[in-house]
Amino acid sequence: MSRLPVLGEPVVLDDVGPPRRGRAYPAVGASAALLLPAALLLGALVLWPVLRTVHASVTSGGHWVGVTHFRAALAAPGTGAVVGRTVLWALLVPAVVTGLGYLLAVASRRSQEGKLVRLILVVPTALPLVVTGVTFRLMYDPDPSRGLATLVAARLTGRTGEDVPQMLGPGLVTVALMSAFVWAWVGLAVLVFRAALDRLPSSLADAVRAYGGTRRHVLWDAQWRPLLLRTVAVVFALVALGTSRTFDLILVMAPGSVRDEAAVLALRVWQTSGGTTTGEGAALGVIWLVAVAAGMLVAALFVRQAWPPPRAAEPDPVAAPPPRPFRLLAAGAAMAWLVPLAVLVATSLHGPVDAAARGWWSARPSLASYHEVLTSSELWRSLGFTLLLAAGVTATVLVVALLAAYPLAGLTGPAAQATGLLLMIAVVVPVQVIAGPVNEVLGVALSSGTARGLVLVHVALGVPFAVLVLRNAFADLPTDRLRAARLGRHWWGTLRRLARHCRPAIVAVSVLEFVQVWNDLVVGLLFSGPDSAPLGLFLAGQTRGFVANSGALAAGSVIASMLPALLVVLARRHLVAGLVSGGVR
């Protein structure tokens, strides 16, 4: 055992004990200094607001009222339907995304067109949900002279546009919203399943066949049991978490007249309390938070083993491509996934008057909508602010998470498990639940509605996931690398050297955080001010006059989608490892 100074404290190199010993880890004083920035952010802007919301849900005017607020909130008109709709979103949509993602991952493996199929499927994953809402609202426009889906349905059924069931009407609006969400998330599921399938050693299937196993035994014993069950749990949990945050999609895609028929808890909490702390809003928020946290913890029980396993040294050179029907399925899915993108781009290539009056297929292409958007000082101001915001938040989150992940990687046993669970719960806290208390904190420390406050909220919400991913990356480094990086160096030099070995995880964290901030609507809606309006808020504001603004709105959506789509496409291989590693340890 040897000791080295780090931040004035000894670093212990211990070669005995449970797993993760034999690693360099800072002592208590150094760990406290490294964890302080993350602890302050999470304590002030996540933990205390959660406790404040819980307190508000059981008190009124400082006096204990028990479950009074819960009874009032649940007895309010429409709340039962909202809760049921939220449960339906949390169960049905993840099941569809998971099943379809697995089928398309199998269908696009080891074929010449597979890479192109996966590229097409992953692009919608990068788009802001505001843009997804705009795209599908254009497709589902109830006027057959503008809405492609309505026109196709009318032609296929031989009905007039008025007789065709309206996808954005009160009866089908939830189905329309779910279809948009599935379109946006299937690409992520395909990437994760593809990575899992590529790591399945072919020797397992050969062994099952050697013992007389059938195709069903090969599927179960050589694929599902060793890996794919855990992968299903990861994908299902990620999508279920995403469905709990469908606020952006509903706010943009559902017309105001049917918004109540489409509402889920994400929207109802905001409608009840907005950015303030109220008893009934806090009660709904607590119910929502408990349900989301419990769901994530249950999912974590199925993915306790590391994912994915180490890649085999040599790929299987004789693996056959999938059968022709599967390849046709993949090609058909890619063509279907291109249709909404084509509708968005085609609408943007028409003038404002043509886009508002008739469908893109019946008018001449024009750049007038782009000219209108690009000559708007408001768009450029929003783009510049969002770029600076996303870059600043990403850099800050990365620094804070690196400092915290380094000492946390040395934890073992119950301490490591408890830390991981706390970080996972912090990841899934819906921002609407804590909006009121966070505004109270910002009102004391800063003035609410400022750019600085918006940055702090984004950083606090981004740090837990970044710490999870980077902690796992540090913990996975071989012992010899840790020792080589540690010996004879100051802590900053050690951390910088270790970070070089964890470059894929750092890329994943950076891209995910940048895209998350760039695509955000809800945080900007709750915490921004007149001088700090991000891009998502700007686009959402244009939807108030949707038909009249459809050309300019489509052009603005295309412009807003270019950067996140490029980043996700270029970094898609790193994103898979980053997404799953943070949630499974």
Side-chain angles (χ1 to χ4, degrees):
M1 181 182 295
S2 59
R3 295 174 179 267
L4 295 169
V6 177
L7 290 177
E9 299 289 338
V11 168
V12 180
L13 299 180
D14 189 352
D15 293 330
V16 296
R20 291 194 191 175
R21 291 296 180 90
R23 298 176 177 273
Y25 55 96
V28 175
S31 297
L34 296 173
L35 290 169
L36 183 61
L40 288 175
L41 282 166
L42 295 180
L45 295 176
V46 178
L47 177 59
W48 187 87
V50 167
L51 297 177
R52 174 75 177 90
T53 299
V54 173
H55 179 264
S57 70
V58 293
T59 61
S60 180
H63 300 288
W64 176 268
V65 296
V67 297
T68 301
H69 293 315
F70 289 89
R71 288 175 178 171
L74 294 175
T79 300
V82 167
V83 173
R85 204 175 293 119
T86 304
V87 173
L88 182 65
W89 270 91
L91 296 178
L92 178 60
V93 174
V96 172
V97 171
T98 303
L100 191 56
Y102 172 73
L103 288 176
L104 293 177
V106 172
S108 62
R109 290 183 74 203
R110 302 187 181 105
S111 61
Q112 294 180 350
E113 68 277 8
K115 290 183 179 180
L116 179 60
V117 169
R118 291 190 297 274
L119 182 63
I120 293 172
L121 294 176
V122 80
V123 169
T125 304
L127 303 186
L129 277 179
V130 173
V131 173
T132 301
V134 169
T135 302
F136 276 78
R137 190 164 174 180
L138 289 170
M139 282 189 57
Y140 292 146
D141 192 301
D143 188 342
S145 66
R146 292 193 303 267
L148 179 63
T150 306
L151 175 65
V152 171
R155 295 282 178 85
L156 291 177
T157 59
R159 302 180 182 180
T160 63
E162 292 75 14
D163 295 333
V164 173
Q166 301 298 320
M167 292 298 293
L168 296 180
L172 293 176
V173 64
T174 297
V175 177
L177 289 164
M178 288 181 175
S179 69
F181 192 91
V182 169
W183 179 79
W185 278 73
V186 159
L188 172 65
V190 171
L191 286 182
V192 176
F193 276 115
R194 168 64 196 276
L197 290 168
D198 287 348
R199 286 161 172 80
L200 284 170
S202 58
S203 57
L204 287 178
D206 294 338
V208 174
R209 293 190 189 98
Y211 280 91
T214 63
R215 186 185 296 270
R216 179 177 61 84
H217 292 114
V218 170
L219 177 64
W220 177 250
D221 293 322
Q223 293 186 6
W224 284 95
R225 286 179 62 186
L227 180 60
L228 292 182
L229 278 177
R230 298 197 303 275
T231 308
V232 166
V234 170
V235 173
F236 194 97
L238 287 172
V239 180
L241 175 60
T243 62
S244 72
R245 300 180 177 182
T246 53
F247 178 89
D248 302 16
L249 193 61
I250 296 174
L251 197 64
V252 171
M253 185 174 162
S257 59
V258 298
R259 194 165 291 164
D260 288 341
E261 285 76 8
V264 293
L265 280 174
L267 188 66
R268 178 57 66 92
V269 170
W270 174 70
Q271 291 174 328
T272 304
S273 58
T276 62
T277 305
T278 64
E280 291 186 19
L284 283 177
V286 169
I287 293 172
W288 186 17
L289 178 60
V290 169
V292 172
M296 290 301 293
L297 294 179
V298 170
L301 296 177
F302 292 92
V303 290
R304 294 178 65 180
Q305 293 176 280
W307 191 103
R311 181 182 290 274
E314 294 292 336
D316 185 0
V318 296
R324 184 175 178 80
F326 277 80
R327 297 173 66 180
L328 292 175
L329 170 66
M335 294 178 63
W337 254 245
L338 279 175
V339 171
L341 293 175
V343 168
L344 180 67
V345 174
T347 305
S348 71
L349 291 174
H350 287 81
V353 175
D354 286 337
R358 47 188 171 169
W360 50 267
W361 57 88
S362 58
R364 282 176 169 270
S366 169
L367 296 177
S369 292
Y370 281 99
H371 181 268
E372 178 180 323
V373 169
L374 293 174
T375 55
S376 168
S377 60
E378 188 177 358
L379 173 67
W380 287 108
R381 185 164 54 249
S382 181
L383 278 171
F385 175 77
T386 305
L387 181 61
L388 292 175
L389 175 68
V393 168
T394 300
T396 306
V397 167
L398 192 59
V399 171
V400 173
L402 281 169
L403 294 177
Y406 175 40
L408 291 178
L411 295 178
T412 60
Q417 295 175 1
T419 302
L421 290 178
L422 288 175
L423 288 171
M424 286 182 64
I425 292 173
V427 168
V428 303
V429 171
V431 66
Q432 295 96 321
V433 172
I434 59 175
V438 168
N439 273 318
E440 294 173 9
V441 173
L442 295 179
V444 173
L446 304 163
S447 56
S448 58
T450 64
R452 290 177 298 170
L454 191 61
V455 168
L456 281 177
V457 175
H458 273 299
V459 171
L461 295 176
V463 161
F465 179 76
V467 173
L468 275 172
V469 174
L470 295 174
R471 179 198 71 160
N472 294 339
F474 284 144
D476 281 345
L477 289 175
T479 300
D480 56 347
R481 286 190 178 180
L482 284 170
R483 289 176 174 173
R486 173 68 250 143
L487 291 174
R489 290 182 177 85
H490 190 267
W491 71 272
W492 179 248
T494 301
L495 182 56
R496 185 170 55 187
R497 183 116 176 202
L498 293 176
R500 292 175 185 171
H501 298 309
C502 299
R503 190 170 298 168
I506 291 176
V507 171
V509 167
S510 301
V511 172
L512 288 170
E513 186 60 34
F514 186 95
V515 171
Q516 172 68 25
V517 177
W518 181 276
N519 292 349
D520 171 71
L521 169 63
V522 63
V523 176
L525 182 65
L526 293 171
F527 302 106
S528 67
D531 298 327
S532 55
L535 188 58
L537 197 57
F538 168 77
L539 291 176
Q542 302 300 307
T543 62
R544 294 185 184 123
F546 190 89
V547 174
N549 291 335
S550 57
L553 187 56
S557 297
V558 171
I559 294 171
S561 303
M562 288 181 178
L563 183 56
L566 180 63
L567 289 175
V568 169
V569 168
L570 293 178
R572 61 189 182 278
R573 293 183 179 179
H574 295 314
L575 294 184
V576 176
L579 277 170
V580 297
S581 64
V584 299
R585 299 197 182 212

